[in-house]
Amino acid sequence: MGNPFEYAPAPESRAIVDIAPAYGLFIDGAFAEATDGGRLKTVNPATEEVLAEIAVGGEADVDRAVKAARKAFKSWSALPGAQRAKYLFRIARLIQEHARELAVLESIDNGKPIRESRDVDIPLVAAHFFHYAGWADKLAHAGFGPDPRPIGVAGQVIPWNFPLLMLAWKVAPALAGGNTVVLKPAETTPLTALRFAEICVEAGLPNGVVNIVTGAGETGRALIAHPDVDKVAFTGSTAVGKEIARTIAGTRKRVTLELGGKAANIVYDDAAIDSAVDGIVEGIFFNGGQVCCAGSRLLVQESVADELLASLTRRIKTLRVGDPLDKNTDVGAINSAAQLSRIQELVAAGEAEGAERWSLAGELPGKGFWFPPTVFTGVTQAHRIARDEIFGPVLTVQTFRTPAEAVEKANNTAYGLSAGVWTEKGAKALWTAQRLRAGVVWTNTFNKFDPASPFGGYKESGFGREGGRHGLEAYLDV
Amino acid sequence: MSERLEVLKTYKLYVGGKFPRSESGRVYAVTDSKGRTLANAPRGSRKDARDAVVAARKAFPGWSGATAYNRGQILYRIAEMLEGRREQFATEVAAAEGINRTKALAAVDAAVDRWVWYAGWTDKLAQVAGGANPVAGPFANWSTPEPTGVVAVIASQRSSLLGLTSAVAPVIATGNTAVVLAAGASALPALSFAEVLAVSDLPGGVVNILTGHPAEIAPTLASHQDVNAIDLTGVAPDAGVASARDLEIAAADNLKRVLRPGAKEPDWTADPGTARMLAFTEIRTVWHPTGH
């Protein structure tokens, strides 16, 4: 007899989503084919099923999109802020009305559990548009002087881990500030951005204010290098961030970069262990660890390490890996074959370098890209798995004895995006937070986001902030 | 009666609170605007630049950890010490910049006033640039500007004291430490200014001043992996100096924060605003659950 507490399948229906066999580029308010007819396929990473064919924008297409954005900039930036606000409020409402459809589409294209796209991603997308809508007619009150001006045409390149959320983080503050945008979504997850283009049309947004050019790395490069782009915004890997910084060197382009991370999650001996365990799980297995601010390095005080690890292992064993559209799924698919092989390579390096691997047992689906929740113990600072961003459900565990050692180890990386601190002592939590060189510090919680809260990194995790008043500054000439 | 023989000054670098000669043993002649030699300045080397970065890094925990009130006191002390030497600096600035004594005095006074202005900023920036964030959930959530670390400053080659002050003061007001490269006409007043810093209670290493050839030293600072940010304001667009573009490319290797040079020399007498302080700070946001 099987486990009487086994969950029955609870799939979310995908009937609400209509995916066209092919999509063009969204330029100047209309969909159009790529000039050279280039196409690529986007697949469902949980099944490897081809979902649609997507146009690959080339230099000529990027140029057309930037020209459309430049043309639209004149009237959009001249529009009273209250009018721009109403367009953004409309978009926020339309996202709420299409929330279920967008969540299903996001999970199909990205592989993330419906529980996350439904309860986290899409509500936050709507919240970002709602938040920045309210800024559009209050720019003079944002603290950047009485008459902040838009920068111009923003070229925005976003990653595949939170496709629509990253779009919202970039597009909402840009439009609120009076800028126009050309956005390139990731080649593996373009579908919600294309659906968003239709929402812009539905909202009556003037042509050319938002342009979506799909494609891969070359398309992104052409966009960033385009001489008529005034502002570059990028979220993605640190390596590409450096390439962008080199590309725009010597120009007047403004830039914000949200790059990689290797967040430490510090657990002191006086932490509430059960809460910490939940926070660790949330930190590294949310979106399968494909999160730049994922809590991928657990630093636990030596005296409670055994107890914590036993509890953590017990908790991980309750995680359900599988169909992203199943409402009981905790960990979905890895976004692409390429990302899966990167995770596999780094995990193999961890084993080869002598760390001890534990992975959640159980059968993974036969098709698609999957990796089980994995924990490495016996890890040192020198190990690749403790230094390189893995971007997958892989946790490394190290111990420490004193708070000073915890801070030292936490900061001992080229990254500085986020960190976690777990202790029941307020003074110790704040002492630690003050010393962590990270843009976001979660104490007794992890992976919380809000449009009113600025997000961004120190050191090689990039510069600039997204969210709130600080995120607005990135789109204003102040 | 014989005429009194003038005592000429030997200018030295300022690194880690000390006044060393360049380890390279080299000097170069600094000339006034008419090409007449004013004095020799140490020709700093790449090694001097690396030593200065080590000193700035060592000073960072103490300086960034000092209270804003304490930093304000010390910045004000710099203004006090500079005020006491305004005659000396007027002479040096006039010689360096080829301006008359009245204009030189005005520049010195403006530099003193700017140190006072930044002294007042140390304990206010967090309130102006930070904030409490009203997130949708049971959390206390607040953001504060924090120093980015070691900042390399390629100082204005024209505005020897006011330009130098306008670049260095915002960097250290916010808790960063600085490695400053002064060159051209600005070199000698900058090295004299180090003597002001040395007696202003500023901990050694918080500001380090080098002189030399920008083409030799600036690339070392721009590519240094332990420098967190670089101010390229003083990079001249003309040939003979590593161009801002090349320095920006070098700075990309560890994603330094870069303050680009303007199209022309900034108007140093204008209200500087908060831009230079914000350029070298990171916003850190802390989340904490509320409840019981």
Side-chain angles (χ1 to χ4, degrees):
Chain A
M1 189 179 143
N3 180 352
F5 298 110
E6 193 56 63
Y7 289 87
E12 176 83 23
S13 167
R14 60 180 284 180
I16 194 167
V17 166
D18 254 337
I19 302 177
Y23 291 88
L25 311 167
F26 183 68
I27 297 174
D28 206 12
F31 284 92
E33 285 308 307
T35 307
D36 66 2
R39 295 189 158 277
L40 59 81
K41 295 179 170 66
T42 184
V43 303
N44 179 337
T47 61
E48 300 179 53
E49 163 204 4
V50 174
L51 295 169
E53 286 201 342
I54 305 298
V56 176
E59 272 185 41
D61 304 303
V62 166
D63 187 54
R64 271 196 302 137
V66 172
K67 282 200 169 81
R70 174 61 61 197
K71 193 169 122 236
F73 175 67
K74 213 174 164 188
S75 46
W76 181 251
S77 60
L79 208 59
Q83 293 292 100
R84 287 203 306 271
K86 284 194 272 183
Y87 281 112
L88 288 170
F89 278 124
R90 272 192 192 182
I91 291 172
R93 276 289 190 250
L94 286 168
I95 287 164
Q96 288 172 329
E97 285 168 20
H98 292 290
R100 182 165 169 218
E101 176 196 350
L102 289 167
V104 172
L105 186 56
E106 196 78 306
S107 282
I108 291 174
D109 204 16
N110 169 277
K112 64 172 62 196
I114 185 73
R115 198 167 60 79
E116 294 178 9
S117 52
R118 181 194 63 196
D119 298 347
V120 181
D121 290 46
I122 306 304
L124 274 173
V125 170
H128 271 83
F129 278 98
F130 205 86
H131 177 82
Y132 280 108
W135 270 123
D137 56 355
K138 300 171 193 68
L139 300 178
H141 299 280
F144 308 123
D147 187 27
R149 306 297 307 155
I151 295 170
V153 174
Q156 308 177 320
V157 176
I158 57 170
W160 44 260
N161 56 343
F162 294 91
L164 197 57
L165 183 58
M166 293 300 103
L167 176 149
W169 283 22
K170 300 261 182 308
V171 172
L175 298 195
N179 306 275
T180 55
V181 308
V182 179
L183 177 128
K184 189 201 85 72
E187 67 266 34
T188 61
T189 56
L191 294 182
T192 44
L194 293 164
R195 187 70 187 87
F196 175 78
E198 294 170 346
I199 287 174
C200 290
V201 173
E202 198 180 339
L205 195 69
N207 292 344
V209 172
V210 169
N211 305 275
I212 311 273
V213 178
T214 47
E218 282 308 310
T219 311
R221 272 188 203 96
L223 177 56
I224 279 151
H226 194 291
D228 205 28
V229 164
D230 304 301
K231 151 85 191 179
V232 167
F234 171 75
T235 295
S237 75
T238 290
V240 175
K242 291 178 180 181
E243 188 190 323
I244 290 170
R246 289 182 198 108
T247 302
I248 63 164
T251 73
R252 293 275 154 214
K253 288 179 189 183
R254 300 266 298 264
V255 63
T256 43
L257 301 171
E258 299 289 354
L259 309 175
K262 194 72 185 171
N265 215 345
I266 299 171
V267 181
Y268 285 115
D269 58 6
D270 56 9
I273 294 291
D274 287 348
S275 302
V277 164
D278 264 359
I280 294 160
V281 166
E282 172 81 4
I284 188 60
F285 301 124
F286 178 70
N287 200 9
Q290 300 165 104
V291 184
C292 49
C293 54
S296 53
R297 290 185 298 147
L298 172 60
L299 301 179
V300 54
Q301 200 150 17
E302 199 176 81
S303 49
V304 293
D306 290 346
E307 178 194 354
L308 180 91
L309 280 174
S311 183
L312 179 64
T313 309
R314 198 162 58 236
R315 175 72 179 81
I316 294 173
K317 283 178 180 166
T318 68
L319 293 178
R320 297 163 55 82
V321 185
D323 182 5
L325 284 186
D326 190 314
K327 284 171 263 191
N328 294 321
T329 290
D330 298 298
V331 180
I334 300 301
N335 181 251
S336 65
Q339 183 56 26
L340 178 60
S341 59
R342 175 171 168 78
I343 296 169
Q344 286 164 337
E345 185 209 323
L346 278 160
V347 164
E351 290 179 302
E353 289 175 8
E356 194 178 326
R357 173 184 174 174
W358 176 87
S359 285
L360 178 62
E363 208 176 328
L364 296 171
K367 277 206 157 175
F369 318 124
W370 303 91
F371 200 85
T374 293
V375 178
F376 274 103
T377 49
V379 177
T380 75
Q381 291 284 100
H383 284 155
R384 263 185 84 191
I385 50 170
R387 309 198 68 81
D388 291 6
E389 186 176 40
I390 299 176
F391 228 64
V394 181
L395 180 72
T396 64
V397 184
Q398 294 170 264
T399 58
F400 66 88
R401 289 185 179 176
T402 65
E405 187 189 349
V407 168
E408 179 82 27
K409 282 183 168 167
N411 287 339
N412 185 17
T413 151
Y415 297 110
L417 189 53
S418 64
V421 182
W422 298 85
T423 169
E424 290 296 277
K425 282 209 165 150
K428 197 194 282 181
L430 295 178
W431 180 92
T432 310
Q434 280 177 343
R435 280 155 186 79
L436 290 172
R437 293 181 62 71
V440 183
V441 180
W442 288 290
T443 64
N444 290 346
T445 182
F446 208 93
N447 265 352
K448 293 290 182 290
F449 304 93
D450 192 281
S453 179
F455 179 93
Y458 278 54
K459 301 195 277 186
E460 294 192 18
S461 291
F463 35 80
R465 293 293 178 269
E466 295 183 290
R469 192 172 72 81
H470 299 87
L472 197 60
E473 188 195 2
Y475 289 94
L476 294 176
D477 197 2
V478 294
Chain B
M1 200 171 120
S2 65
E3 212 175 299
R4 180 178 175 273
L5 190 64
E6 208 181 341
V7 176
L8 295 177
K9 179 170 173 179
T10 297
Y11 288 86
K12 294 200 244 177
L13 304 176
Y14 183 54
V15 176
K18 295 190 165 64
F19 292 93
R21 293 187 162 88
S22 168
E23 63 82 32
S24 68
R26 302 172 305 177
V27 295
Y28 68 110
V30 179
T31 54
D32 66 11
S33 58
K34 298 205 172 63
R36 288 178 301 232
T37 299
L38 293 170
N40 286 320
R43 184 178 160 189
S45 65
R46 291 188 291 266
K47 173 74 163 68
D48 290 321
R50 291 195 295 268
D51 289 347
V53 173
V54 170
R57 174 60 62 199
K58 197 174 158 205
F60 181 72
W63 184 244
S64 61
T67 63
Y69 178 59
N70 183 224
R71 284 202 301 270
Q73 295 269 305
I74 292 172
L75 262 66
Y76 186 74
R77 184 73 179 153
I78 293 171
E80 287 181 333
M81 301 312 273
L82 189 56
E83 177 85 31
R85 296 210 206 183
R86 66 194 284 271
E87 292 295 328
Q88 175 206 338
F89 275 97
T91 306
E92 289 205 20
V93 167
E97 299 179 21
I99 54 178
N100 66 35
R101 186 168 175 77
T102 311
K103 281 188 175 165
L105 261 180
V108 175
D109 291 346
V112 173
D113 292 353
R114 187 136 299 164
W115 280 105
V116 173
W117 194 72
Y118 278 110
W121 261 117
T122 58
D123 58 355
K124 292 162 196 75
L125 189 71
Q127 290 184 317
V128 171
N133 309 310
V135 298
F139 298 95
N141 180 293
W142 67 96
S143 296
T144 46
E146 301 288 336
T148 197
V150 173
V151 179
V153 176
I154 314 299
S156 165
Q157 297 192 38
R158 296 193 176 89
S159 181
S160 58
L161 187 65
L162 182 56
L164 179 84
T165 290
S166 302
V168 175
V171 167
I172 65 170
T174 45
N176 298 290
T177 57
V179 175
V180 183
L181 174 61
S186 75
L188 301 184
L191 293 176
S192 288
F193 181 68
E195 297 164 12
V196 170
L197 296 177
V199 292
S200 299
D201 305 326
L202 189 74
V206 173
V207 175
N208 305 275
I209 298 180
L210 306 171
T211 52
H213 295 180
E216 182 181 358
I217 297 174
T220 299
L221 294 173
S223 62
H224 199 296
Q225 295 298 296
D226 204 27
V227 172
N228 302 97
I230 188 162
D231 173 358
L232 298 178
T233 302
V235 175
D238 38 309
V241 176
S243 78
R245 182 173 175 272
D246 290 342
L247 296 173
E248 278 188 56
I249 289 171
D253 270 349
N254 69 337
L255 289 162
K256 283 181 188 66
R257 280 63 179 142
V258 177
L259 187 64
R260 288 169 163 164
K264 54 182 181 5
E265 180 86 1
D267 174 7
W268 297 112
T269 61
D271 177 354
T274 56
R276 284 181 169 268
M277 289 186 285
L278 295 179
F280 303 120
T281 48
E282 313 285 348
I283 295 295
R284 178 168 57 214
T285 299
V286 177
W287 291 68
H288 195 284
T290 55
H292 49 84

